[in-house]
Amino acid sequence: MYEFAVTPATTQIRRRGVEVTEIAPGGLAAELELEAGDRIIKVNGRAVRDYLDFRFLTGGETEMTLFVRKKSGEEWEIEIEREEGEDFGLNFEQIVPRQCANECLFCFCKGNPPTARPALFIRDEDIRLSFLYGNYTTLTSITEDEMRRVIEQRLSPQYVSVHATDLDVRAYLLGVDKKRADISGKMRRLMDAGIEIHAQVVLCPEINDGPVLRRTISDLAAEYPRIRSVAIVPLGLTRYNTDARLTPVTPEFCRRVIREIMPVQRELREKLGTTFAFLGDEIYLRAGRRVPSRRHYGDYPQIEDGVGMVRSFYEDFNALWRRLQYRPPRRASRLNGTVLTGALFAPILKSLLDPVNERFGTRLRVLPVENRYFGSEIVVAGLMTGMDILEIREQIKGDFVIIPSAALKSDEAIMLDGMTFEDLQRQLGLPLHALDFSSFSQILSGKRELSL
Ligand code: SF4
């Protein structure tokens, strides 16, 4: 599930150019008297649709002409000469995502409570966000213009939700006809143009598992290294998506998938030198298995999709543990608080923090947060809500509370259920900290103080 840091496209009137939102004092743009609110319409006579276009059209150019519509309504044509590599000192409005025309059986939008914020219902399908943030697109509704843009601007890699190479199955999962579902020509065209692809399969029991999955992996692996990897992540059913065609993912199903795919992965490693087809962390954890080793993940090609996160966390934590042996945390006993995380990750985090508590006298208690907002099937930390945290407030102990920063919107301190960070902190009556691993490790190693 992904929440955008932008307003839905449906509420926006498409305007020409891209809006400048901030100017760095003393920079080139300030010298040119550009201001926040101005729109850059063209660079060297070519239309600018967003900041990616601006970056592409100005990149490497030392002389250029900008056509600008000032916020006052005036139109300026500005001739520019700049040093090689000199930055404009400009910030632009966010990209408004294009929305998809699919009706996927498992679409995350169907899993939202009806009262969820409008931003959670954005069905994005945007090759720009795929390139920038690793968001998956299905390529079913990509236009010719967008295809050309990916190739011309080298928007590589692209992240493509394939789900199944069997066309009947893909069309069924996406809720579109077979003609639209068939993206083989588009994938080939992108690959022929040197655009790298990372693929994804949302694994739905009894639909695209078993032989369909094995064929999908084998078809995609045949294109390695043009297709770099495939992430196989389990269907996530909230209590709101009750489509009878979907079968929930169970621990037994996860064990079966691991059993079936392990030999395929082994074979791929021998043949390609990479595991290529990576199972999502959730599959191992739900199966009650340990996640694979560091070697299995190589350079973690699907980490943006959360695949390999647990292994990467283990690695980072072990490195921290080694550092702590040489330089024990200062005033460790002051670290007396509760660390909240999702039900699936809580036992792992506890197994890592218990030895720290024992060895250094810290008192960090790990508390799993059951997800009542989306339903107990949802066990990942990033989907934790404020309401769920308040449900377990009686169990919270110590002087502070830590939540994963991933549980907050990327550009605003707000949780998925709309509860703000401040509100949650006020209701908990304790200092609250949203931390990623790096800030957490700085606190543990005493490089950063936790304000209490
Ligand atoms: S592609 Fe499918 S899952 Fe993604 S937003 Fe569209 S309907 Fe939902």
Side-chain angles (χ1 to χ4, degrees), residues 84-294:
E84 211 160 301
E86 186 180 2
D87 190 46
F88 275 91
L90 279 171
N91 269 340
F92 292 105
E93 64 182 329
Q94 298 260 18
I95 285 173
V96 177
R98 211 161 86 64
Q99 297 203 48
C100 83
N102 303 323
E103 269 306 327
C104 297
L105 288 187
F106 50 78
C107 181
F108 55 82
C109 292
K110 296 182 191 167
N112 286 326
T115 52
R117 294 198 316 283
L120 291 175
F121 290 94
I122 298 178
R123 297 182 174 212
D124 77 296
E125 172 89 333
D126 199 310
I127 43 104
R128 297 167 300 177
L129 301 178
S130 187
F131 165 68
L132 289 169
Y133 307 118
N135 292 7
Y136 276 92
T137 73
T138 62
L139 293 184
T140 52
S141 51
I142 185 170
T143 62
E144 177 54 27
D145 195 38
E146 287 172 316
M147 282 293 279
R148 273 198 247 118
R149 181 176 187 180
V150 171
I151 293 167
E152 186 193 7
Q153 300 188 354
R154 316 299 308 156
L155 304 184
S156 175
Q158 284 288 313
Y159 291 78
V160 181
S161 274
V162 172
H163 304 319
T165 49
D166 178 309
L167 209 48
D168 288 302
V169 177
R170 185 168 202 263
Y172 178 69
L173 280 167
L174 262 54
V176 296
D177 60 40
K178 284 210 291 192
K179 189 161 172 277
R180 277 176 76 88
D182 184 4
I183 52 166
S184 51
K186 294 173 188 170
M187 297 253 289
R188 189 150 307 283
R189 188 169 156 203
L190 292 177
M191 291 188 291
D192 287 347
I195 303 297
E196 271 185 6
I197 289 175
H198 289 280
Q200 177 183 243
V201 168
V202 172
L203 193 57
C204 302
E206 294 169 38
I207 302 179
N208 60 347
D209 55 340
V212 177
L213 177 62
R214 287 197 297 276
R215 179 182 150 194
T216 301
I217 295 173
S218 144
D219 289 345
L220 296 172
E223 294 296 342
Y224 180 83
R226 305 195 311 168
I227 296 180
R228 304 272 334 162
S229 66
V230 52
I232 299 149
V233 296
L235 159 77
L237 275 186
T238 75
R239 63 191 168 104
Y240 299 98
N241 190 347
T242 50
D243 194 317
R245 293 168 296 177
L246 293 171
T247 309
V249 167
T250 61
E252 181 41 42
F253 172 78
C254 293
R255 285 191 281 274
R256 201 176 72 225
V257 172
I258 296 171
R259 255 195 327 269
E260 283 176 12
I261 300 306
M262 254 171 69
V264 177
Q265 293 172 323
R266 206 174 302 127
E267 227 175 86
L268 287 167
R269 268 197 302 273
E270 275 164 22
K271 206 162 124 198
L272 309 176
T274 162
T275 303
F276 183 78
F278 299 91
L279 295 177
D281 295 6
E282 208 181 319
I283 295 183
Y284 295 102
L285 300 185
R286 277 175 169 253
R289 300 279 153 78
R290 273 181 76 82
V291 294
S293 70
R294 164 85 187 76

Side-chain angles (χ1 to χ4, degrees), residues 361-403:
T362 51
R363 282 168 290 164
L364 296 169
R365 298 162 201 85
V366 177
L367 193 57
V369 180
E370 194 195 328
N371 202 319
R372 292 165 203 245
Y373 185 76
F374 289 110
S376 55
E377 282 294 296
I378 301 299
V379 282
V380 295
L383 300 184
M384 160 193 309
T385 66
M387 181 191 103
D388 292 323
I389 294 174
L390 290 178
E391 280 288 331
I392 54 165
R393 103 184 93 178
E394 298 305 319
Q395 298 171 52
I396 290 175
K397 298 203 167 63
D399 307 324
F400 57 83
V401 182
I402 292 176
I403 57 169

